[in-house]
Amino acid sequence: MGYLKYLVFRILNAILVLLIVTFIISALFVKVAEQSNRSKMYEELMMWERTEGAKIKQSQGLEAFEQAKAAKQAALEEKYELNIPYWQKVYNKALRTLRLDFGTTSMPIFGTNNVSDIIKVAVPRSILLFTTATIIVIILGIFLGVRAARHAGSVFDRGLSIFALLTYSLPMWWTGMMFLLIFAFKLGWFPLSSMFDPQLTGWEHVKDVLWKLALPVFTYVFVVFGGWAWTTRNIMIGTLQEDFIMAAKAKGVPEHKIIYGHALRAAAPPIVTMIIFALLGSLGGAIISELVFNYPGMGRLYWVALQQNETNLLIGLTYFFTVLYLTGVVLADMIYGFLDPRVKVGASAKM
């Protein structure tokens, strides 16, 4: 029951944080939306005055015009929820957000105005690009990092460390622009834009997707995998110096079993944490990288929402990113509690 209590406590904690964050973002964005809606109301009211209002003034007189204007303004205030107290709007917006009812956008994006549908279109695209690249980075990083740790001080280890420091210090957007200049503009090996052709189907569509994703994936892997390898190498070197590893070597345990059966398992918690947050973070895309490669994922969607002042879309995206982060925290806590009994025992003792 110790692990179950620990897990329930962490899940309840995450739910509480999600509720608090939802009300905070609702309070912030509702204030912005209120100002935007008030401006829209006045614009619509002025348009009414120039059209229908002018006709009423000419045919029925000024008094009828003022009465009709007051009724129109009341209808517009109800339409834009300007007649509701601020905290009531915050409460209503938070409840709708928790029910995944984010509302609509003023302009269609991806062919629809429904925020939930827009996010559903963008998420698979970010998964296709960033999650694929992240999986490649994880595999390369762990494999090369473990190998470097096994041969610490060798030419391979030093070369990997230098390469990691160089590539990880390069800005992703700058590297993407350089690769576009070299491989797309100069050599013509890849397209300048990563937008898919919607008219292609079947195998032609698959080839088009692979061709247009090749350069963004290569750029991401080139910049990130060295840092992963270097971090894994440092974690493994510290673990390989532990007493239980020395005892296993003294007993004659094969090196392969020591590395992958003892050392890598002991070093798993920080590596697992990196994997969880990297995979979940890949669902959110990257704003600058997607703008550089003209890729329609979650990052570019957030930029469009900021540019067009789409408050409902911003709330939906912020809520989505919050859920991703809290999911990562809960998963990391679950795995930590499974791998390290001291974690769940300490949590149970406090409860």
Side-chain angles (χ1 to χ4, degrees):
M1 291 297 293
Y3 182 72
L4 182 59
K5 289 182 179 179
Y6 165 78
L7 188 57
V8 170
F9 175 76
R10 292 302 183 186
I11 293 175
L12 292 177
N13 190 28
I15 293 174
L16 178 61
V17 172
L18 179 62
L19 291 174
I20 295 173
V21 171
T22 301
F23 275 94
I24 291 175
I25 62 176
S26 297
L28 293 174
F29 284 112
V30 162
K31 192 65 176 178
V32 176
E34 188 179 69
Q35 298 174 356
S36 177
N37 289 338
R38 193 172 296 277
S39 299
K40 291 179 182 178
M41 183 200 72
Y42 285 130
E43 289 179 3
E44 200 167 332
L45 186 62
M46 290 175 61
M47 181 66 68
W48 178 87
E49 289 181 2
R50 290 195 294 266
T51 54
E52 298 180 17
K55 295 178 181 178
I56 294 175
K57 186 185 292 185
Q58 291 178 357
S59 61
Q60 303 179 26
L62 184 59
E63 184 176 352
F65 167 76
E66 293 295 339
Q67 292 177 354
K69 180 180 178 181
K72 181 65 176 179
Q73 183 171 344
L76 290 175
E77 287 178 351
E78 183 177 357
K79 174 184 176 181
Y80 292 108
E81 296 185 345
L82 296 175
N83 58 340
I84 302 175
Y86 171 71
W87 289 110
Q88 181 66 36
K89 285 189 286 187
V90 171
Y91 178 76
N92 294 339
K93 189 64 179 178
L95 288 184
R96 289 197 298 267
T97 301
L98 291 171
R99 293 196 300 263
L100 303 182
D101 179 14
F102 305 118
T104 59
T105 59
S106 58
M107 299 288 291
I109 301 174
F110 301 146
T112 179
N113 291 87
N114 187 280
V115 172
S116 298
D117 294 337
I118 293 171
I119 295 176
K120 289 177 184 178
V121 172
V123 169
R125 293 175 177 175
S126 290
I127 291 174
L128 188 61
L129 173 56
F130 289 100
T131 306
T132 302
T134 300
I135 292 173
I136 297 173
V137 165
I138 291 170
I139 294 172
L140 283 176
I142 293 178
F143 174 76
L144 296 176
V146 170
R147 183 179 177 184
R150 292 176 64 182
H151 306 284
S154 64
V155 175
F156 175 79
D157 178 36
R158 295 176 183 176
L160 181 64
S161 299
I162 294 173
F163 178 81
L165 292 174
L166 288 175
T167 57
Y168 206 68
S169 62
L170 295 175
M172 184 78 70
W173 60 270
W174 182 85
T175 308
M177 292 179 67
M178 291 300 101
F179 282 0
L180 279 173
L181 179 64
I182 297 171
F183 297 111
F185 184 75
K186 292 291 184 182
L187 300 177
W189 293 354
F190 301 101
L192 289 170
S193 174
S194 296
M195 286 282 191
F196 305 143
D197 190 347
Q199 297 180 350
L200 297 178
T201 58
W203 178 242
E204 293 297 325
H205 174 69
V206 174
K207 290 193 296 184
D208 180 66
V209 170
L210 293 176
W211 183 48
K212 291 182 177 178
L213 286 183
L215 189 58
V217 169
F218 175 71
T219 303
Y220 185 89
V221 172
F222 177 81
V223 173
V224 178
F225 90 91
W228 264 80
W230 188 74
T231 303
T232 305
R233 174 249 186 206
N234 290 340
I235 295 173
M236 285 294 294
I237 285 179
T239 305
L240 289 172
Q241 296 174 355
E242 296 288 343
D243 293 338
F244 71 94
I245 298 295
M246 300 300 178
K249 290 181 179 179
K251 290 179 181 179
V253 179
E255 184 183 7
H256 184 271
K257 189 174 182 180
I258 291 175
I259 295 295
Y260 295 100
H262 295 75
L264 192 57
R265 179 181 175 85
I271 295 176
V272 167
T273 302
M274 292 167 54
I275 292 173
I276 291 173
F277 282 102
L279 289 175
L280 292 177
S282 67
L283 303 181
I287 295 178
I288 300 180
S289 297
E290 291 184 6
L291 289 175
V292 168
F293 289 103
N294 194 26
Y295 188 78
M298 289 290 287
R300 186 181 180 88
L301 180 61
Y302 208 99
W303 176 253
V304 170
L306 289 171
Q307 278 190 319
Q308 298 182 1
N309 194 25
E310 296 288 357
T311 307
N312 289 334
L313 183 55
L314 288 172
I315 292 176
L317 291 172
T318 305
Y319 181 81
F320 178 79
F321 296 143
T322 303
V323 171
L324 283 183
Y325 174 77
L326 292 176
T327 302
V329 171
V330 172
L331 288 176
D333 286 336
M334 289 172 58
I335 296 174
Y336 267 45
F338 178 76
L339 296 174
D340 191 349
R342 295 171 298 176
V343 175
K344 58 178 180 256
V345 169
S348 300
K350 291 179 181 179
M351 292 178 67

